[in-house]
Amino acid sequence: MKRRDFLAGGLAGAAVAATAVKATAIAGTPAPVDGDRGADILGPQNKPLERENPESLAPPVTDAGGTPNLKFSFDQAHNRLTKGGWAREVTVRQLPIATALAGVNMRLKPGAIRELHWHSAAEWAIMLAGRARITVIDPQGRNFVDDVGVGELWNFPAGFPHSIQALDGGCEFVLVFDDGNFSENDTFLLTDWMVHTPKDVLAKNFSAPESAFSRIPPDIEQSRYIFNAPVPGPLNADKVSAPAGATPISYSFHTDAQVTPVTAPGGQVRIVDSSVFPAASTIAAAIIDVQPGAVRELHWHPTADEWSYWVQGQGRMTAFTGKGGAATFDFQAGDVGYVPVAVGHYVENTGSEPLRFLELFKSPRYADFSLAQWLGLLPPELVRDHLPLPKDVIASLPRNKPLVVAGRS
Ligand code: MN
Ligand code: MN
């Protein structure tokens, strides 16, 4: 087994087996040393960052070339604090390669409302903690309201007006938009529009006396964005009868009830795209679970860039960018990753707890190619002409997609 040297916990030059590197790296201080490559650091160090990024500090010998940065953490992002909660975003401004998708991490206190608004991008979401009530209407005047809990999703198509309100206990979620340039601070807010419309026009528009709008401003000077409100009552009491009826499709997705996981020896994969969640017509998702030591197999996506969000655990990912280029990144819960279309990659769980991350795509359908399955579906001689592998390894190449591989011990 390949061994790597680390200056860990004061044990200069201690040889640590590759599989134990991560635990040591997190507990102690790694050094940019790998065998006879590298040397210790004499200058200033940001040790917490070094501990979180051992594969950047001492990349595997297989890394090469100048791959762009593929990682940014919500924990590095500017946070917008309000009385009702907060919101922080990772867009193309924070992670320049992420042109296809952008994300927001948002927290709402109990009853707090992300105000009625709409925007030019479609919005996909997953609830991380707590529960929220969502509302939306479609262009035909049909309405939708539902409550969404942990692990459940919603999707609002571009331009559809919507709201999110935390229920008892508050909530936190991640939003993903199908435009890397999208900013959560650049949406169309109900109050903002009201403030910026002449009051005589508001009076005509709502068939009400101008005096009805006398407190917009001063009570509302700009916009509300995220603000506190009483926790709403039962869901049924919030259902408003629309002449056109309710929306024909659901804009929420109750994950556990609506999708069956594809289980694999090293974990499981749940694919949620427009084939099971029609409202998600522009954003496809996979929810990936990887057991400790297991690997989300070598694969690539043929149609779209991948925007990943790390929900739980830790792992490493190497992006193979072709022309001899490869770069390895470490990820922890709360991080965002990005893999351009067609770029080969894997994700290895390097921690001691289960890893969960999301793969998101600006695409109506999820699609990937498995390296192992590709080789397994070819004539063995053709594979052997390329790769000097033992016969039994070539004979046991899988014909089904392994997805998450436990590996051999
Ligand atoms: Mn929105
Ligand atoms: Mn992927």
Side-chain angles (χ1 to χ4, degrees):
M1 176 176 276
K2 174 174 169 288
R3 296 176 80 83
R4 303 171 73 185
D5 294 334
F6 274 83
L7 297 172
L11 297 171
V16 181
T19 49
V21 158
K22 291 306 178 301
T24 308
I26 297 303
T29 304
V33 176
D34 179 13
D36 60 357
R37 298 187 303 137
D40 59 346
I41 296 174
L42 302 179
Q45 291 174 266
N46 185 330
K47 291 188 178 181
L49 270 183
E50 290 174 358
R51 279 186 215 109
E52 284 194 355
N53 299 282
E55 301 289 337
S56 299
L57 196 67
V61 70
T62 43
D63 274 17
T67 301
N69 180 42
L70 300 177
K71 171 188 174 178
F72 197 90
S73 181
F74 277 116
D75 288 315
Q76 293 171 271
H78 176 80
N79 210 346
R80 182 175 175 185
L81 307 187
T82 74
K83 287 180 177 165
W86 48 255
R88 48 189 181 173
E89 64 185 9
V90 176
T91 73
V92 76
R93 286 165 285 278
Q94 288 75 30
L95 184 57
I97 198 166
T99 54
L101 297 153
V104 170
N105 179 204
M106 187 176 290
R107 170 84 163 93
L108 301 177
K109 291 176 183 171
I113 300 173
R114 168 64 175 94
E115 100 160 84
L116 289 161
H117 70 284
W118 71 98
H119 34 73
S120 56
E123 170 181 322
W124 182 98
I126 185 166
M127 186 63 74
L128 301 173
R131 295 178 63 76
R133 179 158 304 164
I134 58 173
T135 71
V136 63
I137 72 163
D138 71 10
Q140 290 75 34
R142 300 171 293 196
N143 58 1
F144 179 84
V145 57
D146 196 16
D147 291 346
V148 179
V150 174
E152 299 184 328
L153 318 178
W154 68 78
N155 192 291
F156 302 132
F160 281 39
H162 54 277
S163 66
I164 309 159
Q165 181 170 22
L167 300 177
D168 273 332
C171 66
E172 186 180 327
F173 46 87
V174 163
L175 308 172
V176 181
F177 301 91
D178 62 354
D179 174 5
N181 199 47
F182 178 85
S183 172
E184 170 66 13
N185 301 315
D186 190 17
T187 66
F188 297 92
L189 304 177
L190 167 66
T191 52
D192 195 15
W193 201 8
M194 297 292 279
V195 166
H196 292 96
T197 303
K199 287 190 178 172
D200 60 317
V201 174
L202 291 177
K204 285 180 184 169
N205 189 71
F206 290 102
S207 304
E210 213 171 305
S211 61
F213 305 95
S214 63
R215 305 211 60 79
I216 309 173
D219 285 11
I220 302 171
E221 286 182 2
Q222 276 300 316
S223 62
R224 294 211 190 269
Y225 184 53
I226 293 173
F227 62 101
N228 287 309
V231 173
L235 178 59
N236 273 336
D238 266 4
K239 288 188 172 161
V240 174
S241 169
T247 58
I249 62 169
S250 175
Y251 292 92
S252 63
F253 189 82
H254 298 277
T255 312
D256 288 343
Q258 289 185 254
V259 69
T260 306
V262 179
T263 57
Q268 66 172 24
V269 174
R270 288 174 288 173
I271 292 168
V272 182
D273 64 14
S274 61
S275 66
V276 293
F277 186 19
S281 57
T282 62
I283 299 177
I287 304 168
I288 316 273
D289 292 300
V290 183
Q291 294 305 315
V295 176
R296 166 82 174 102
E297 63 167 322
L298 290 161
H299 68 282
W300 70 94
H301 305 280
T303 58
D305 294 359
E306 171 183 315
W307 193 98
S308 65
Y309 175 70
W310 293 64
V311 179
Q312 181 194 332
Q314 66 175 64
R316 66 170 178 169
M317 185 269 290
T318 302
F320 163 64
T321 53
K323 295 177 284 184
T328 305
F329 297 85
D330 300 283
F331 292 92
Q332 283 85 25
D335 291 348
V336 170
Y338 202 81
V339 183
V341 61
V343 164
H345 55 289
Y346 68 86
V347 170
E348 179 184 19
N349 184 342
T350 54
S352 55
E353 63 168 324
L355 164 65
R356 173 170 290 174
F357 68 99
L358 313 174
E359 296 180 356
L360 289 147
F361 307 89
K362 182 178 181 178
S363 173
R365 290 298 182 101
Y366 178 89
D368 66 8
F369 280 103
S370 154
L371 173 65
Q373 182 188 36
W374 176 35
L375 301 181
L377 294 174
L378 295 171
E381 297 73 21
L382 182 58
V383 176
R384 202 159 46 243
D385 287 343
H386 289 78
L387 301 174
L389 300 177
K391 250 185 170 169
D392 65 314
V393 172
I394 290 177
S396 62
L397 285 166
R399 295 183 183 184
N400 293 311
K401 224 173 256 185
L403 293 173
V404 186
V405 186
R408 293 170 98 179
S409 51

